[in-house]
Amino acid sequence: METMNLVESFSEFKDSKAIDRPTLMKILVDIFKHILSKKFEVADNFDVIVNTSTGDLEIWHSRTIVADEDVVNPTAEIAYSEAVKIEPDFEVGEQVVAGFDITNFDRRDIQSIHQMLKAKVMEFEKENIYQKYKERIGEIVSGEVSQVWKKELLILDDEDYELVLPRTEMIQSDFYKKGDTIRAVVDRVEFKNNTPFVILSRTSPVLLERLFEQEVPEIFDGLITIRKIVRQPGDRAKVAVESYDDRIDPVGACVGMKGSRIHGIVRELRNENIDVINYSANLSVFVSRSLSPAKISSINIKEEKKTIEVYLKPDQISLAIGKGGQNIKLASKLVDYEIEVFREIDTEFEDDVDLMEFSDEIDEWIIETFKKIGCDTAKSVLEIPRDELIVRADLEEETVDEVLRILRSEFE
C-alpha cells in the first residue's frame, strides 16, 4: 500500500497562520472521507488515519468476505477467492482490512481535495482574523503601508494580515506613502461579503487615551484616571484627568518635565494642541478650567436646558472661543453642556444697546450667530475688526457689512 505524506503534498498550507498542524490534519481527514464517499457512495468502511507528527496518511478499507458468486457490492464485500490470497486462514463472514492505495485517487480527486482544503483554510483564516482583532478593539497596532488608495490605506501588520485605514479616520495632515510605518487604534471589525475588515482610526479619542497610557506610567498603573477626552483631530484636544492620590499632580504627571511626556504624543498626532485639564466634580470649576486660557468672570448654570452662560471681560472672549470656535466647542463637549459666551457689562458700555433691540432690522438667526461668539451688544460687534468678524461669525461679507451699517447708524 502506498501512503501519502500530507506535509509534502500540501506544503503550501502548512505555514497557515490561522490553523495549527493538528487542526489542519483533521480537516484533511474529513476531506478525504468526503472524497471517498463521493467515489464509492458510502465511506463507512474506510478508515483514514493520519500521524500528526510526521504528516503521513494511510487509508484502510474494511470488507466482508462472501462467496464468490454472492458478491454484490465490491466496495463493502470481497470474494472468498480474493480474501485467501491475502490470508489463507480467512473464512466467509469475516472482515478483511487492507490498505487502500493512494494511487486509486485520480487527478480529479486530488484537484477536489486541493480546492476543498484551500477553501477551508481561507475560512479558518477569516474567522481567525475576525476573532483576533475583535478582542483587540481599542488597542494600538503598528503596521506597514502596503497600498495607498483614494479613499483608504491598506496596512499589513506583523503577521501580514490586511488592515484598512479609511481617509475619514485619518488626521487631515496625515500623509503616508507605501512602506511607511503607521500607528493607529483598532476601531471596529466588520464582516462584508463573508470577508472580515479590520478598520483602524487615527481620529478616535481612544487613540489619544492609549498614547497617554503608554507615555504616562501613572495612568497605566491606575494612579491617574482619564475622565474624558474630546478631539478636533490634528488641531486641538482636551483631556480631563483626575488623581485619587493628593500627592500626585495629574496635569504635571501627564505633561512631564518640560513637556517630555506629552511631546511624543503631540508629534504622533501631527502637532495636535493638547490641553490637559484637572477634572473637578464642581461644575463651575470644571467649566472654568475647560475654557482655559480664558479667565471667566462669572458663570450661570441652567440645569434644565443643559446650558451654561459664561461672562468674560472683552479681552478674554476671543481666548474662550478660540480659533474657529475650537476652544468653546471642545469645552462644551468636555463638560457635556452647551456653553454660551457673554460680555461682562461695565461702565464703558452703559450706553450700549442689546442686539435684540435691532430684531426688526436684523434677522434673529444672525443675532444668535453673533451671540455665540460673545457679541450680544452693538458695541461688542463694532469693536471687532470687519475681517475678523467675518471669520469668527462665519457669515457672508454682505451680511456683516449690512449689520455694521445698521449698528453704526445707532450711534451717529
Side-chain angles (χ1 to χ4, degrees):
M1 179 189 72
E2 187 174 332
T3 62
M4 173 184 283
N5 187 281
L6 299 180
V7 175
E8 294 175 359
S9 301
F10 301 100
S11 58
E12 65 183 281
F13 302 108
K14 71 176 181 178
D15 295 323
S16 170
K17 297 183 286 290
I19 308 178
D20 56 32
R21 190 183 181 110
T23 305
L24 181 60
M25 297 303 167
K26 184 179 181 301
I27 291 172
L28 278 163
V29 169
D30 292 340
I31 291 172
F32 271 96
K33 281 193 172 182
H34 177 76
I35 296 297
L36 286 167
S37 65
K38 285 181 67 177
K39 196 174 183 71
F40 300 104
E41 294 185 358
V42 290
D44 295 341
N45 56 333
F46 287 93
D47 286 320
V48 182
I49 301 170
V50 63
N51 185 323
T52 55
S53 299
T54 63
D56 289 332
L57 176 137
E58 296 177 352
I59 300 175
W60 295 91
H61 188 190
S62 175
R63 289 175 289 177
T64 304
I65 301 172
V66 297
D68 290 14
E69 64 273 13
D70 293 336
V71 175
V72 177
N73 182 0
T75 302
E77 300 166 339
I78 184 172
Y80 175 75
S81 58
E82 290 294 323
V84 294
K85 291 179 183 178
I86 300 170
E87 177 59 58
D89 295 337
F90 275 141
E91 295 181 3
V92 172
E94 291 183 334
Q95 294 290 316
V96 173
V97 180
F100 181 84
D101 204 322
I102 297 297
T103 56
N104 288 324
F105 289 116
D106 57 26
R107 185 170 173 273
R108 184 179 296 176
D109 294 332
I110 298 298
Q111 207 168 34
S112 296
I113 292 169
H114 189 275
Q115 289 172 350
M116 289 175 68
L117 180 58
K118 188 175 182 179
K120 207 71 174 172
V121 168
M122 285 181 66
E123 182 183 324
F124 263 78
E125 285 190 342
K126 287 176 182 179
E127 183 63 26
N128 188 57
I129 294 171
Y130 181 79
Q131 291 301 332
K132 174 185 176 181
Y133 277 99
K134 196 167 180 63
E135 294 172 1
R136 295 188 67 184
I137 288 176
E139 289 184 22
I140 290 179
V141 295
S142 296
E144 183 180 303
V145 178
S146 174
Q147 296 290 335
V148 178
W149 296 315
K150 185 177 180 180
K151 293 185 177 180
E152 59 194 19
L153 270 62
L154 185 67
I155 316 295
L156 295 182
D157 69 3
D158 53 1
E159 294 183 38
D160 283 342
Y161 287 137
E162 294 183 349
L163 318 174
V164 177
L165 178 62
R167 295 281 182 184
T168 53
E169 297 293 336
M170 292 172 63
I171 296 170
Q172 193 170 5
S173 55
D174 273 343
F175 177 78
Y176 293 99
K177 58 184 183 297
K178 188 174 180 179
D180 285 349
T181 300
I182 192 170
R183 284 208 297 173
V185 72
V186 180
D187 187 58
R188 60 192 183 276
V189 185
E190 302 173 346
F191 253 114
K192 293 180 181 177
N193 300 323
N194 203 33
T195 301
F197 284 85
V198 181
I199 312 298
L200 304 181
S201 175
R202 282 180 50 79
T203 61
S204 170
V206 179
L207 175 61
L208 183 50
E209 184 177 353
R210 296 293 172 265
L211 289 172
F212 267 105
E213 289 174 356
Q214 289 181 0
E215 296 291 335
V216 184
E218 291 88 345
I219 292 178
F220 184 80
D221 295 336
L223 298 173
I224 295 174
T225 303
I226 295 177
R227 294 299 298 254
K228 192 171 182 181
I229 295 176
V230 291
R231 290 180 67 192
Q232 184 69 37
D235 291 326
R236 193 164 191 169
K238 289 184 181 288
V239 183
V241 294
E242 182 180 24
S243 174
Y244 300 107
D245 189 336
D246 293 337
R247 296 169 299 177
I248 297 176
D249 171 20
V251 175
C254 290
V255 174
M257 187 73 70
K258 296 182 179 179
S260 57
R261 289 178 172 177
I262 206 168
H263 280 167
I265 300 174
V266 171
R267 282 195 299 270
E268 177 64 40
L269 300 180
R270 306 293 183 184
N271 295 320
E272 190 169 306
N273 186 9
I274 302 171
D275 298 333
V276 183
I277 299 158
N278 198 347
Y279 174 81
S280 175
N282 184 318
L283 186 56
S284 295
V285 174
F286 191 34
V287 171
S288 181
R289 291 172 179 173
S290 299
L291 284 172
S292 178
K295 294 180 181 178
I296 296 172
S297 300
S298 62
I299 295 176
N300 179 24
I301 300 171
K302 296 183 176 181
E303 290 281 357
E304 67 284 353
K305 293 184 178 180
K306 292 286 284 183
T307 60
I308 297 175
E309 295 176 348
V310 176
Y311 293 87
L312 306 101
K313 291 183 177 178
D315 62 339
Q316 297 297 307
I317 289 178
S318 60
L319 292 175
I321 294 170
K323 182 182 176 182
Q326 283 180 359
N327 197 46
I328 194 168
K329 286 176 186 175
L330 291 175
S332 295
K333 290 179 182 178
L334 193 67
V335 301
D336 205 22
Y337 277 75
E338 184 178 347
I339 300 175
E340 297 176 348
V341 175
F342 293 93
R343 178 185 300 272
E344 185 182 31
I345 302 296
D346 55 27
T347 53
E348 182 185 344
F349 292 91
E350 281 181 356
D351 60 342
D352 207 346
V353 182
D354 192 289
L355 278 184
M356 290 306 295
E357 297 293 327
F358 298 92
S359 58
D360 57 336
E361 297 178 84
I362 304 172
D363 290 341
E364 192 171 330
W365 70 270
I366 297 175
I367 294 174
E368 288 301 321
T369 301
F370 282 114
K371 282 186 174 183
K372 285 180 181 178
I373 64 169
C375 299
D376 53 351
T377 67
K379 286 189 176 180
S380 65
V381 175
L382 291 172
E383 74 169 11
I384 298 174
R386 172 185 175 275
D387 291 342
E388 185 181 338
L389 202 59
I390 292 169
V391 174
R392 281 172 57 180
D394 195 21
L395 293 170
E396 295 289 337
E397 291 184 19
E398 294 80 4
T399 303
V400 172
D401 288 339
E402 179 62 16
V403 170
L404 292 175
R405 184 192 65 77
I406 293 169
L407 298 183
R408 285 182 184 129
S409 66
E410 177 69 22
F411 298 100
E412 288 176 354

